Amino acid sequence: MGKVFAYARVSTPRQGERGVSLPEQRDAISRYAERQGLEIVRWFEEQESAAKKGRPAFNQMLQLLRLGVAHGVVIHKIDRSARNLEDWNDIGKLVDADIDVHFATESIDLKTTAGRLSADIQAVVAAHYSRNLREEVKKGLYGRLKQGFYPWRAPIGYLDQGSAKAKTPDPIQAPLVKSAFELYGSGTHSLQQLAREMFRCGLRNRHGGNVSINGVSTILRNPFYVGLIRILKTGQTFKGNHEPLISVALFERIQEILSGKRVDRVQSHVYTYSRIARCATCKYSLIAERRKGHVYYRCHNRPFKTPAVCPATSIREERIDEAVLGVLATVQLSEEELRAAREYLSERCKKSEGERAAIQTALKLQHDQASDRISKLTDLLVDGTIAKPMFQSKHRALLLEQAAVEHKMEELKNGNAAHLQQLESAVELAKDASLLYRKASVENKRKLLKILLSNLTVSGKNVEAMLSIPFRLIAEREKSGNGGAYRGTCRTWTRLLEKLNTYFCENPAALLESRPSNRID
């Protein structure tokens, strides 16, 4: 009785779990071996497509056959052994080495020329069928992608709704994923710290375990959360019809942090002016050090990188506090100005209803222009005028631009006038910025500094703090003869509010998304 191996395969694990194919293959192979007087010494089973070369069980079986562990192998059918020609070539080498290859359901003798020819034809047909099936599956997948549907399992933060249906935000995980983006975008967490913090908050992977550092990085890099679908293997990007979780501005800021284009770094010991206060001469950040109960900021000049000779700089944190508070005091608003600002905002909110249609039209025009540019870009690719890598890069940038416009349109539809919200936030911060800053925690002080100041430099013992544009405009407002601010009803103050409103319209992200609450800690 000859000793042989037995090989059975199903295309998918699901098919094997249902018991549709593997048990039938085993039965057919066992009956054949019994009729032929063959002893099956080992079974090799695989739950994986044969369209790709490199099946582990199949390769192990081939290796053992070459070593003479068995005299031959029994396979259910030709298409179970070879749905790609590389594997069929391996089968042919076994036959050439006088190793018996049997097919349980096909009467083919591979020892004869006619039998070998018949088997070769069937193998070619099987390979063609596999390739054709693969192309049809790809067509179906790309059809779904072009319709805006994600044809695979939903990423963390979303739920599957079935075939040809958009993924929906998970009511439990989606807020946590959004929080992960916001925390990392604030620059206060490293990837490792973020992974620990999100696990503590309840974010879990599909198996209920913690999301690894690589998993967190994958989430932060995935444009699916801004409404786009990216195919990593091909580099293609499609516009999705699912609900975004975050804004394009936040996503792009996080990509800059991940790629190292931003200088924000997580500090093991967070000091108020770390990476904010800079040397006025060499422009490098001052280094914070604690000595005898006080925090000092020193310039560690790098003479091999700059010819400038920096003056000796070692300044206490309290001195910088005094300079910052002195500058912030200049933006403080009187009660009359505050009341006039609130009246102005109330009137502008009413007027914005009438302006909404014009803004909506402008946004739609911008959206259509992006669509036209995408169409022209596709034509250039088809004509061979532009290389595929450049096409993919520009196509993704245009889709991000479209997503940002759609986000603004959605805000407008929901009645969120972003520029008025920013103006209101600026007025509330200016109301008593110095008191708010004095009472804030270190973390919130750092957030306030990034909003209120555009530059903070130190030269020797001299500190220069420059306000950001909106607060500089407030600080430089016209003063009355007795040194106080004009009354809130004066035209100068109203014109200033108009100027600020225009500024925020043109700079929708002027106040950072991570701006702190106005609540005094």
Side-chain angles (χ1 to χ4, degrees):
M1 180 178 289
K3 295 183 178 181
V4 297
F5 291 148
Y7 179 76
R9 181 188 62 80
V10 291
S11 298
T12 63
R14 183 184 299 176
Q15 189 181 20
E17 290 167 4
R18 288 201 300 255
V20 174
S21 184
L22 281 178
E24 292 180 359
Q25 290 185 51
R26 290 179 67 96
D27 290 343
I29 291 172
S30 297
R31 289 195 301 269
Y32 177 86
E34 186 177 349
R35 288 196 308 269
Q36 299 296 323
L38 302 173
E39 178 188 358
I40 298 176
V41 295
R42 183 169 176 180
W43 284 88
F44 292 86
E45 295 180 355
E46 218 145 22
Q47 296 181 357
E48 174 173 1
S49 172
K52 296 181 179 179
K53 191 173 184 294
R55 294 169 285 168
F58 184 79
N59 290 338
Q60 184 184 12
M61 180 188 72
L62 293 179
Q63 186 177 8
L64 293 175
L65 285 170
R66 294 188 185 104
L67 293 174
V69 177
H71 301 299
V73 58
V74 182
I75 304 172
H76 184 240
K77 293 174 66 177
I78 288 179
D79 67 357
R80 295 294 92 188
S81 66
R83 291 180 70 179
N84 66 72
L85 296 180
E86 289 85 355
D87 284 347
W88 179 247
N89 185 50
D90 290 335
I91 294 291
K93 290 179 180 179
L94 293 178
V95 176
D96 294 338
D98 290 329
I99 295 173
D100 296 329
V101 179
H102 305 268
F103 298 102
T105 60
E106 294 168 328
S107 300
I108 294 177
D109 185 2
L110 295 181
K111 300 288 187 182
T112 67
T113 303
R116 188 72 171 267
L117 176 62
S118 176
D120 285 345
I121 293 172
Q122 292 189 48
V124 170
V125 171
H128 169 73
Y129 173 82
S130 178
R131 284 194 296 265
N132 185 65
L133 182 62
R134 183 182 179 188
E135 288 302 314
E136 292 301 318
V137 170
K138 285 174 66 177
K139 285 180 184 177
L141 290 176
Y142 276 98
R144 293 293 185 212
L145 289 168
K146 289 176 182 177
Q147 293 172 352
F149 298 112
Y150 188 68
W152 298 286
R153 182 187 294 181
I156 297 174
Y158 285 87
L159 295 175
D160 292 308
Q161 299 299 316
S163 177
K165 291 184 179 179
K167 312 298 182 187
T168 58
D170 186 330
I172 298 175
Q173 298 279 55
L176 296 174
V177 171
K178 184 177 180 180
S179 176
F181 276 96
E182 291 171 346
L183 283 175
Y184 194 75
S186 69
T188 59
H189 290 67
S190 65
L191 287 175
Q192 187 175 16
Q193 291 170 334
L194 184 63
R196 287 198 301 265
E197 175 64 18
M198 296 320 299
F199 180 77
R200 186 188 66 79
C201 292
L203 185 65
R204 298 291 183 270
N205 60 23
R206 294 190 182 98
H207 305 292
N210 65 308
V211 180
S212 65
I213 295 175
N214 285 338
V216 170
S217 177
T218 300
I219 289 174
L220 296 176
R221 293 180 186 276
N222 192 350
F224 190 89
Y225 298 100
V226 295
L228 301 181
I229 300 172
R230 180 185 60 198
I231 311 301
L232 284 174
K233 188 174 182 180
T234 63
Q236 292 172 283
T237 305
F238 300 87
K239 184 180 180 303
N241 54 16
H242 55 279
E243 180 185 341
L245 292 186
I246 62 169
S247 69
V248 175
L250 176 58
F251 181 76
E252 290 184 331
R253 186 163 76 245
I254 286 174
Q255 304 319 298
E256 290 179 352
I257 296 174
L258 289 169
S259 62
K261 293 181 180 178
R262 289 177 66 96
V263 298
D264 305 53
R265 297 178 187 172
V266 178
Q267 304 288 323
S268 55
H269 299 286
V270 180
Y271 297 103
T272 304
Y273 302 103
S274 293
R275 304 199 66 80
I276 293 177
R278 297 178 178 274
C279 173
T281 305
C282 68
K283 307 304 180 185
Y284 281 103
S285 298
L286 300 181
I287 306 301
E289 299 172 336
R290 185 175 292 277
R291 292 286 184 270
K292 298 180 180 180
H294 295 281
V295 176
Y296 290 85
Y297 292 85
R298 293 187 171 90
C299 173
H300 292 200
N301 189 18
R302 302 163 176 79
F304 56 89
K305 287 189 176 181
T306 173
V309 179
C310 301
T313 298
S314 178
I315 189 168
R316 277 171 57 165
E317 187 171 85
E318 292 83 354
R319 176 68 188 89
I320 303 179
D321 282 337
E322 291 175 8
V324 169
L325 289 171
V327 171
L328 296 183
T330 63
V331 303
Q332 184 171 344
L333 303 180
S334 67
E335 288 299 325
E336 292 84 356
E337 288 173 322
L338 188 60
R339 183 165 54 251
R342 288 169 178 167
E343 290 174 359
Y344 172 84
L345 284 166
S346 178
E347 292 175 3
R348 291 298 302 176
C349 285
K350 293 176 183 177
K351 288 182 180 179
S352 66
E353 295 294 328
E355 297 171 350
R356 186 177 300 178
I359 299 174
Q360 188 79 26
T361 302
L363 288 173
K364 187 178 185 305
L365 178 61
Q366 189 177 348
H367 187 274
D368 292 342
Q369 287 174 342
S371 297
D372 290 341
R373 289 163 65 192
I374 290 174
S375 179
K376 292 177 181 177
L377 189 67
T378 305
D379 291 340
L380 290 175
L381 178 68
V382 173
D383 295 340
T385 310
I386 187 173
K388 190 174 181 180
M390 183 176 291
F391 166 81
Q392 290 173 344
S393 175
K394 291 184 176 296
H395 184 251
R396 181 173 180 272
L398 286 171
L399 287 176
L400 281 171
E401 181 183 328
Q402 269 193 331
V405 172
E406 289 169 1
H407 180 72
K408 292 178 183 177
M409 293 172 72
E410 189 64 26
E411 283 187 339
L412 197 64
K413 180 181 176 182
N414 295 332
N416 296 326
H419 61 288
L420 291 179
Q421 288 181 347
Q422 295 219 72
L423 178 55
E424 183 179 7
S425 296
V427 169
E428 290 300 319
L429 283 173
K431 179 175 63 174
D432 203 342
S434 57
L435 177 62
L436 177 64
Y437 180 79
R438 190 182 294 111
K439 298 297 183 181
S441 63
V442 171
E443 182 180 344
N444 271 358
K445 279 184 177 181
R446 291 177 59 81
K447 290 179 180 179
L448 282 168
L449 287 170
K450 292 178 181 181
I451 295 171
L452 295 167
L453 301 184
S454 63
N455 199 18
L456 180 61
T457 58
V458 179
S459 178
K461 300 295 182 180
N462 299 317
V463 181
E464 181 181 357
M466 182 177 292
L467 292 164
S468 58
I469 292 177
F471 299 99
R472 196 185 312 161
L473 291 173
I474 295 174
E476 293 173 355
R477 67 192 184 279
E478 191 173 344
K479 301 292 183 178
S480 64
N482 60 5
Y486 270 13
R487 294 182 59 83
T489 55
C490 79
R491 294 179 181 177
T492 304
W493 177 235
T494 303
R495 285 198 298 269
L496 174 58
L497 291 172
E498 287 286 357
K499 188 181 293 186
L500 287 170
N501 186 47
T502 302
Y503 174 79
F504 286 123
C505 283
E506 296 173 352
N507 301 274
L511 296 188
L512 301 177
E513 286 187 27
S514 58
R515 62 181 180 270
S517 162
N518 289 345
R519 177 178 61 85
I520 296 177
D521 295 326

